[in-house]
Amino acid sequence: MTSHHPSPTPALCLPALLLLSGLASAQIAMEPARVPAPARPAELTRDGAIRATVGLAASLASGNSSASNLNLNADLVRATDTDKVSLYGRVQRAKANRATTDEQLRAGLRYDHDLSPRTFVYVGGELEHNRLANLDHRRQFGGGLGYHLIRNEAHSFDLFGGLSHTRDKYLNPALIDGEVRDAFAYASVMLGQESTHQISPSTSAKQRLMLQPNLKSRGEYRANWDADIAVAINSTLSLTVGVAVTHNSEPSPGRKPTDTLLTTGIAVKFD
């Protein structure tokens, strides 16, 4: 099942993310012999192997009204003791009575390289499409420095910051920065944090927050927060709950500044 809401805050979505973790922990305490095979996150397995995860959530309704909803996400990670390559993609599409109610795509690539056991440099790019936000595409490239605040076998927590260049192309001309434009390019500061956690032998979680103040238009900024939790059914399949919150302080006319997407589904792991 997948649902799309225009304005809830991340705090309202956190209980849903923690639900599966609580259920899994209770199962482990009551029935230790039935614990699924370990579902270790790829970010915490630094052996140089390529690992991929593909998740799917979908719904379909017919009768008095027709509606369909599809959410597909994929992650590919290769991590070693000194560097990490991560590739990710998200597709969200929904229709109601043959009208498109949601169409989003986000894909990105990032490379991290350690300068020391604690510090690292990173470079990456991202491509985004959001029809309902009047965004034909957004291209972003950037890089910077980071710090491993926590890094062990069960948990990782990184802080990072840098600069990026972004170019937005709009489906229809829009009033941006005091002018009607069909495209807009600008530089931004990147400030963020991300973490991965092995909560129990069968439960893992990860989250990432990125804040990007606009250097061209003072006071404007974009923010993204993505989080998910997975409970292993076996070494290949997992049940997942995820939340994605996006905020644009200066949306196109008629658009709300915040979108929240809550998903539940199943994920397949490839080692």
Side-chain angles (χ1 to χ4, degrees):
M1 181 184 297
T2 307
S3 58
H4 187 269
H5 307 283
S7 60
T9 61
L12 297 178
C13 299
L14 284 173
L17 287 172
L18 296 174
L19 177 60
L20 284 179
S21 177
L23 292 175
S25 297
Q27 181 186 28
I28 291 170
M30 297 175 63
E31 302 180 52
R34 298 185 182 181
V35 176
R40 189 166 179 77
E43 291 85 352
L44 298 178
T45 310
R46 307 179 186 98
D47 58 3
I50 296 175
R51 292 177 169 83
T53 304
V54 178
L56 175 67
S59 64
L60 181 65
S62 62
N64 293 317
S65 63
S66 62
S68 61
N69 205 319
L70 173 68
N71 181 272
L72 178 67
N73 63 81
D75 294 276
L76 185 149
V77 176
R78 178 187 179 274
T80 71
D81 288 333
T82 58
D83 63 4
K84 181 178 70 174
V85 178
S86 53
L87 176 66
Y88 58 89
R90 305 284 184 272
V91 177
Q92 168 70 18
R93 186 174 178 83
K95 285 188 175 183
N97 298 321
R98 299 185 179 180
T100 299
T101 58
D102 192 16
E103 184 178 284
Q104 300 181 45
L105 180 149
R106 185 151 55 109
L109 173 67
R110 177 168 144 170
Y111 174 70
D112 297 11
H113 181 76
D114 288 352
L115 300 176
S116 73
R118 287 290 185 181
T119 60
F120 65 93
V121 294
Y122 71 93
V123 62
E126 188 171 272
L127 179 66
E128 184 177 352
H129 165 79
N130 190 328
R131 178 177 292 276
L132 296 187
N134 193 36
L135 185 66
D136 180 69
H137 66 261
R138 171 178 289 137
R139 295 187 309 228
Q140 176 177 291
F141 302 93
L145 295 171
Y147 184 79
H148 298 303
L149 189 63
I150 299 173
R151 196 184 194 197
N152 56 44
E153 293 297 316
H155 305 280
S156 69
F157 191 95
D158 294 343
L159 303 175
F160 58 89
L163 297 173
S164 69
H165 180 270
T166 303
R167 184 180 186 275
D168 294 345
K169 179 71 171 63
Y170 308 110
L171 292 166
N172 300 299
L175 182 63
I176 305 294
D177 199 29
E179 296 183 22
V180 176
R181 309 169 186 263
D182 60 6
F184 187 54
Y186 51 95
S188 300
V189 174
M190 292 191 295
L191 301 171
Q193 57 84 15
E194 60 185 356
S195 64
T196 303
H197 309 276
Q198 186 76 49
I199 300 172
S200 75
S202 63
T203 308
S204 63
K206 61 182 179 179
Q207 61 83 35
R208 184 173 186 262
L209 173 66
M210 174 77 83
L211 178 65
Q212 299 184 79
N214 190 326
L215 293 177
K216 190 171 185 178
S217 303
R218 182 174 297 181
E220 296 182 11
Y221 68 94
R222 292 187 295 110
N224 293 278
W225 185 64
D226 299 280
D228 64 74
I229 188 167
V231 177
I233 301 173
N234 53 42
S235 60
T236 302
L237 299 177
S238 298
L239 297 176
T240 63
V241 174
V243 62
V245 180
T246 61
H247 179 82
N248 187 341
S249 65
E250 295 291 336
S252 299
R255 313 293 179 184
K256 294 185 178 181
T258 303
D259 288 304
T260 300
L261 178 67
L262 179 66
T263 60
T264 61
I266 192 164
V268 182
K269 183 179 178 182
F270 300 92
D271 288 337

